[in-house]
Amino acid sequence: MMRSPTWRLLPLALLCNAVSAQASDVLMGDYWVVHYQGGLGKQQVFLADGDPKNIFARPGGAQSLGVYRLYEEPGKPNFTAYDVEIDCKKNRARVMGAQDFSSVSNQFRKGKFNAQWQTKPEPWVAQSRDFVCKPGERPAKKMERLGVMSASQMTKAGPQLFEILNRESLKVELIKQIDEAFAQMPAK
């Protein structure tokens, strides 16, 4: 379940926006957190590029956008870049391509994906579909705007996002332990 750490993302968004004004010849995007998952030390954040110039028309009325999965866990790629195709009229989505990037090898490799229209899409795919098809519902669906920045700046935002999510995970775990401790206390 996504909770909205909006006020905690604000300093990150301001920092990224200030830096993004430097280079006008670099491909820029308008990045939004559309989903996150995982636990302490194993967080994954999914960022969609909502810049209309970077959302492309596909045959049959579908649209294509970039979604980036940032990984916190060691041994995983730094990120996976997905080409996600969205068909709003038929309320469906599919992944058309995936590229894993690892800073260890400093190269992209073909990532795993299934190009079939998903009847029960993974949560990040469903959120990506809703990001495009229902832009007015972004706040209600807890989608957070990071701001306009280059792709390299977007990928560098991962550690700050993981720090925020790990703090939230720690709070949830502490509250769970406290609740369990109270539940085990003898009643008077």
Side-chain angles (χ1 to χ4, degrees), residues 131-180:
F131 176 80
V132 172
C133 299
K134 302 172 185 174
E137 294 180 17
R138 290 175 185 171
K141 292 185 176 277
K142 309 294 189 238
M143 296 180 192
E144 302 291 336
R145 184 174 186 255
L146 292 181
V148 176
M149 64 189 86
S150 70
S152 64
Q153 290 167 323
M154 175 271 301
T155 61
K156 290 176 185 172
Q160 290 111 347
L161 292 170
F162 297 139
E163 186 177 313
I164 292 165
L165 292 172
N166 282 327
R167 275 197 303 261
E168 291 297 315
S169 293
L170 279 173
K171 285 180 190 176
V172 169
E173 185 59 32
L174 279 171
I175 290 171
K176 179 181 168 190
Q177 289 176 6
I178 290 168
D179 287 346
E180 288 173 356

Side-chain angles (χ1 to χ4, degrees), residues 2 9 32-38 42-48 67-72 78-80 82 124 144 146 154 157-165:
M2 289 185 56
L9 290 175
W32 289 69
V33 175
V34 294
H35 182 73
Y36 54 85
Q37 63 190 28
K42 296 181 180 182
Q43 301 284 356
Q44 296 177 16
V45 177
F46 295 83
L47 304 174
V67 178
Y68 303 86
R69 178 186 223 165
L70 306 178
Y71 300 91
E72 179 185 30
N78 295 68
F79 68 90
T80 301
Y82 295 99
W124 72 269
E144 302 291 336
L146 292 181
M154 175 271 301
Q160 290 111 347
L161 292 170
F162 297 139
E163 186 177 313
I164 292 165
L165 292 172

Side-chain angles (χ1 to χ4, degrees), residues 93-111:
R94 65 180 171 180
V95 177
M96 297 299 291
Q99 294 285 318
D100 294 331
F101 177 79
S102 172
S103 61
V104 174
S105 62
N106 198 31
Q107 63 181 352
F108 283 94
R109 293 195 172 129
K110 186 174 181 173

Side-chain angles (χ1 to χ4, degrees), residues 42-90:
K42 296 181 180 182
Q43 301 284 356
Q44 296 177 16
V45 177
F46 295 83
L47 304 174
D49 182 356
D51 187 327
K53 294 181 290 194
N54 298 332
I55 298 176
F56 302 99
R58 290 267 173 93
Q63 300 174 72
S64 174
L65 80 153
V67 178
Y68 303 86
R69 178 186 223 165
L70 306 178
Y71 300 91
E72 179 185 30
E73 190 174 358
K76 296 272 188 186
N78 295 68
F79 68 90
T80 301
Y82 295 99
D83 175 15
V84 180
E85 188 171 277
I86 309 293
D87 185 341
C88 294
K89 288 182 183 174
K90 295 182 181 176

